[in-house]
Amino acid sequence: MTDPHTHTEIAAEAPPRDTRGRPLHDLRISVMDRCNFRCPYCMPESTYGEHYRFLGNDERLSFDEIERIARLAAELGVSKLRLTGGEPLLRPKLAELVARLRGIPGIADLAMTTNGVLLARHVDALREAGLDRVTVSLDTLDPALFHRMSGGRGALDEVLAGIEAAQAAGFPQGVKLNTVVQRGVNEHTVLDLVGRFRGTGIVPRLIEYMDVGNRNDWNREAVVPSAELIAAIDARWPLDALPAKYPGEVATRFRFRDGQGEIGTISSVSQPFCGGCSRARLSSEGTLYTCLFAVQGTDLRAPLRDGSSDDALRERLRQVWLHRADRYSEEREERRQRSRPKIEMHYIGG
């Protein structure tokens, strides 16, 4: 392997493992900090209102910079890339970036998560560029509730049109839905959503309401445990549990016993899966985070722009991962367990 910035041969090294023995397999890449929704659990209007300062174009990583980091990450063992935002489809010429990432050796899975509003107009270009799969965020099929949950900015019919267009495009690894379920908000609409997509080949994934980025006024009382949802769905349409497709798979999978497809759950609150987490995320301004919940990360934009070689950047990535010790969800559960009142049992002997 040759470093184009130094023209030196790079010795192959074993992929890094963090302090808990977890490899680096997945990289989430935020290509845009802006979004056309204001979902209360993600980018609430109270924080991201009209006076919030988003990044300027020159502050976001360029396609060249994103491609370079992704290539170096692939050399360290990353095989899965997911494009996210904000809303990734607000980034102009996104299909161009997809094509460039598709050409990186070692990348076996190239995906995108979107709110779906702009998907129909871009789906063909993304498919031609080599995108493997699309995940659309869809929290309810109730139009009024959808409008409220998107911060008053979303139109359900546009999202459904995007989902239909994505399915028609024939992405190799299909179309999935991400549904964040909140108690007292949309849990009563879950069965309708699951029923709508049963038998279509589209896979809903029900996600426990999380304290992502610690910025959404998270309240544990609003969490609907996945086990509760699965019990309700199983009572309507019997389910069988499926084995994980690979070590560290985030979603727990179930198939409908009548053959009408499958669903998944992501249970980072009730069943933390930090022990198998192999994911890092790169923000649109070039900060690398080693946990979805992290609020501090490592700046990669500065070395990208100060002339650092591929060797130096790769070693920076390696060292960040080698020193990674994140287990936020497990720690949150441990704190909760410690804070629960202890019940003393008094036994009367005979």
Side-chain angles (χ1 to χ4, degrees):
M1 188 186 306
T2 301
D3 182 339
H5 291 265
T6 62
H7 304 290
T8 59
E9 292 296 319
I10 301 168
E13 296 184 65
R17 289 181 176 267
D18 70 8
T19 60
R20 305 186 72 204
R22 299 168 295 188
L24 174 60
H25 279 167
D26 309 66
L27 180 62
R28 297 168 59 100
I29 301 172
S30 174
V31 298
M32 173 59 74
D33 57 319
R34 298 173 184 266
C35 187
N36 43 7
F37 282 11
R38 287 295 179 270
C39 301
Y41 60 78
C42 182
M43 293 183 70
E45 185 75 39
S46 58
T47 301
Y48 299 91
E50 60 179 318
H51 299 297
Y52 184 83
R53 182 187 176 278
F54 288 97
L55 298 173
N57 290 338
D58 61 340
E59 295 175 291
R60 298 187 195 98
L61 294 187
S62 68
F63 285 179
D64 285 343
E65 292 167 333
I66 292 172
E67 180 185 5
R68 188 178 176 199
I69 290 296
R71 175 170 49 80
L72 296 174
E75 292 170 6
L76 294 177
V78 165
S79 60
K80 299 176 65 175
L81 301 176
R82 176 180 293 276
L83 302 181
T84 68
E87 171 48 47
L89 291 176
L90 291 177
R91 183 74 183 251
K93 301 181 180 179
L94 185 63
E96 177 186 321
L97 176 63
V98 170
R100 294 169 69 161
L101 298 178
R102 179 77 282 165
I104 295 175
I107 298 302
D109 186 350
L110 180 54
M112 181 186 71
T113 298
T114 172
N115 62 33
V117 167
L118 302 174
L119 185 56
R121 70 185 73 173
H122 295 288
V123 71
D124 291 335
L126 293 167
R127 175 69 182 88
E128 288 182 18
L131 194 69
D132 288 316
R133 58 192 170 100
V134 170
T135 298
V136 178
S137 298
L138 178 62
D139 294 332
T140 182
L141 292 174
D142 180 314
L145 181 56
F146 178 91
H147 188 68
R148 177 158 63 89
M149 292 189 73
S150 64
R153 301 193 181 195
L156 178 61
D157 58 348
E158 293 178 336
V159 176
L160 293 176
I163 293 169
E164 183 178 344
Q167 188 175 31
F171 287 97
Q173 297 185 37
V175 180
K176 294 181 179 179
L177 306 179
N178 277 351
T179 301
V180 176
V181 183
Q182 299 178 62
R183 193 176 302 283
V185 179
N186 67 327
E187 85 272 26
H188 63 288
T189 69
V190 168
L191 285 178
D192 286 343
L193 187 143
V194 171
R196 167 74 175 265
F197 292 101
R198 257 177 43 90
T200 66
I202 294 172
V203 179
R205 298 193 300 184
L206 309 176
I207 302 174
E208 291 180 345
Y209 176 46
M210 297 181 287
D211 46 336
V212 178
N214 302 285
R215 61 174 179 244
N216 60 356
D217 297 322
W218 183 76
N219 180 353
R220 190 183 181 91
E221 298 303 313
V223 177
V224 182
S226 295
E228 181 178 323
L229 294 172
I230 289 301
I233 296 167
D234 180 66
R236 179 78 171 271
W237 303 289
L239 296 168
D240 289 321
L242 292 172
K245 288 183 178 179
Y246 52 86
E249 183 176 18
V250 170
T252 302
R253 299 163 50 239
F254 302 84
R255 71 171 183 88
F256 293 107
R257 201 169 294 165
D258 61 5
Q260 294 299 300
E262 67 176 67
I263 60 171
T265 59
I266 299 177
S267 315
S268 69
V269 178
S270 66
Q271 296 176 306
F273 42 79
C274 302
C277 180
S278 59
R279 286 163 287 282
R281 62 184 177 97
L282 181 67
S283 72
S284 51
E285 73 270 29
T287 301
L288 184 73
Y289 296 94
T290 54
C291 177
L292 176 64
F293 299 95
V295 294
Q296 293 183 322
T298 301
D299 177 27
L300 298 181
R301 186 178 63 186
L304 277 167
R305 296 182 180 183
D306 69 6
S308 294
S309 68
D310 277 0
D311 279 355
L313 276 166
R314 187 186 304 101
E315 184 59 22
R316 189 176 182 89
L317 285 169
R318 179 187 295 277
Q319 290 301 320
V320 167
W321 195 260
L322 286 172
H323 289 88
R324 177 197 192 223
D326 301 274
R327 50 188 295 270
Y328 175 84
S329 292
E330 290 179 348
E331 290 172 339
R332 176 187 54 206
E333 180 61 18
E334 289 169 3
R335 287 193 300 270
R336 188 178 78 90
Q337 293 293 340
R338 286 196 299 268
S339 67
R340 295 176 67 179
K342 292 182 173 59
I343 301 175
E344 295 186 12
M345 303 296 291
H346 298 277
Y347 296 92
I348 301 175

